[in-house]
Amino acid sequence: MAVTNRLFTYSATPISGASQSGNLAISTTYIPGYTWWGGPDESVGYVIAHEDTTVGVRTERNKSATVSTNSVGFWRTATQSDAAFLAMFNGLFNQNYATASTAAAWLNSNGYWTSYSGSSSTLGTIGNPAVSAQAIYNSGQTTNGWYYIQTSNMTSAKQIYCNMTDEGGGWMLMSYSPNNIAAPLGIPYPNQWLGGTGSLTSRVSIDAREVWYHNGLAQCSQVMKIASTTASLVPLVSNVQIANKVVYSNPNNLRLSATFSTTLNNNTPMTGTWSGIKGHTLMNTSLAVNAPGDWIYSVNTWWTVCGPSTQLLSDGRSGNAQGSGSWTNISNGVIYGMADVNTITTSNRSDIKTYAVYIK
């Protein structure tokens, strides 16, 4: 529980029994002989305390109090989050820091005091981004939602929606459309950051080139796809009608294209096993599958994370439209591989609205 009765006073010299930050003395108990100011409730938001040397006025947000000596002022965030703390800090001090922890270090080195001490540096926050949703899940966090991810390939942390409840948790949303049959049509090829930033109201894509790998090795090896004919669903298996996944045996082979319009650039296929999760009654066993090494079936149009079990071509670029084959188009509403069909039946659909592709 946050301390709510912390006391502050201006003192250029340390006070026995109190901690010192610049010209501020801080105590949790009253020490006689000094004028103490009660700090704001720290359970509401993060506090920054500063010395106030304007005699006669003590500032605290937009309030003031008449005093006769140097005193203390406070700023506090509206919510207790790394993002709120960082925004307040950068605004107050005209800085452009990227993490809450570095902002707090600056304050502590420049005579200020702050209640932020890394307490919100829980893995997956802006102050302590994780390298994957799996790392966040392994830390004990099992709540679905937006978390900050930063791998060795990323210059800054980005928010990614993480599914912590389906198929063992630890999934990162790679591609998403809340309504695939309404403009803009199509599922983006995952070589770009699109939408997101805490919202599922529009199409979402991450640059999987930056997230699939960390420190030169694949940290992801699975893809999960879920779909429904109902629009704008939170992309969880419990909300949709059909779902499946593929587990790759050679995840380090994935080489996505920087531009979807270029020639095919990886002819060594991804190989693995497909399995149904929900809604598949006719393909109810595990199936050996492969997929293009760059997930591209044809440039400028179709990409796929999983091919059909009935045609394992040497480059993974089967186009027989059957069974587990999961072709998606970047500019129309047709989706394959999300139908309850057998392995030799065409699996295309044009009625899917909510569609999501996860990786882990």
Side-chain angles (χ1 to χ4, degrees), residues 16-198:
S16 178
S19 61
Q20 192 77 16
S21 184
N23 290 326
L24 302 178
I26 306 97
S27 178
T28 56
T29 59
Y30 176 75
I31 301 174
Y34 303 92
T35 301
W36 295 95
W37 302 95
D41 184 349
E42 295 168 28
S43 67
V44 175
Y46 290 117
V47 174
I48 299 175
H50 61 94
E51 62 179 71
D52 192 341
T53 57
T54 304
V55 176
V57 176
R58 167 181 168 267
T59 61
E60 184 177 338
R61 285 187 174 269
N62 60 346
K63 299 178 181 180
S64 62
T66 301
V67 295
S68 58
T69 61
N70 293 334
S71 59
V72 183
F74 306 96
W75 298 290
R76 185 180 66 190
T77 59
T79 60
Q80 198 172 68
S81 70
D82 283 41
F85 177 74
L86 191 61
M88 180 175 74
F89 168 83
N90 284 332
L92 285 171
F93 300 101
N94 194 30
Q95 300 290 335
N96 190 32
Y97 278 58
T99 66
S101 58
T102 54
W106 185 94
L107 290 167
N108 293 330
S109 299
N110 286 274
Y112 297 88
W113 178 90
T114 178
S115 62
Y116 181 91
S117 60
S119 58
S120 75
S121 61
T122 304
L123 195 62
T125 61
I126 192 171
N128 188 21
V131 299
S132 68
Q134 186 66 63
I136 297 172
Y137 182 87
N138 291 345
S139 75
Q141 299 183 76
T142 57
T143 301
N144 301 317
W146 294 88
Y147 293 88
Y148 283 92
I149 303 295
Q150 185 175 7
T151 69
S152 60
N153 305 306
M154 302 166 66
T155 58
S156 62
K158 294 183 181 293
Q159 281 187 298
I160 296 178
Y161 184 82
C162 299
N163 180 336
M164 301 300 197
T165 54
D166 294 331
E167 294 297 297
W171 296 92
M172 295 177 286
L173 185 62
M174 181 175 71
S175 299
Y176 170 77
S177 175
N179 193 347
N180 188 54
I181 63 174
L185 298 174
I187 306 300
Y189 180 68
N191 66 347
Q192 60 182 310
W193 293 96
L194 177 69
T197 63

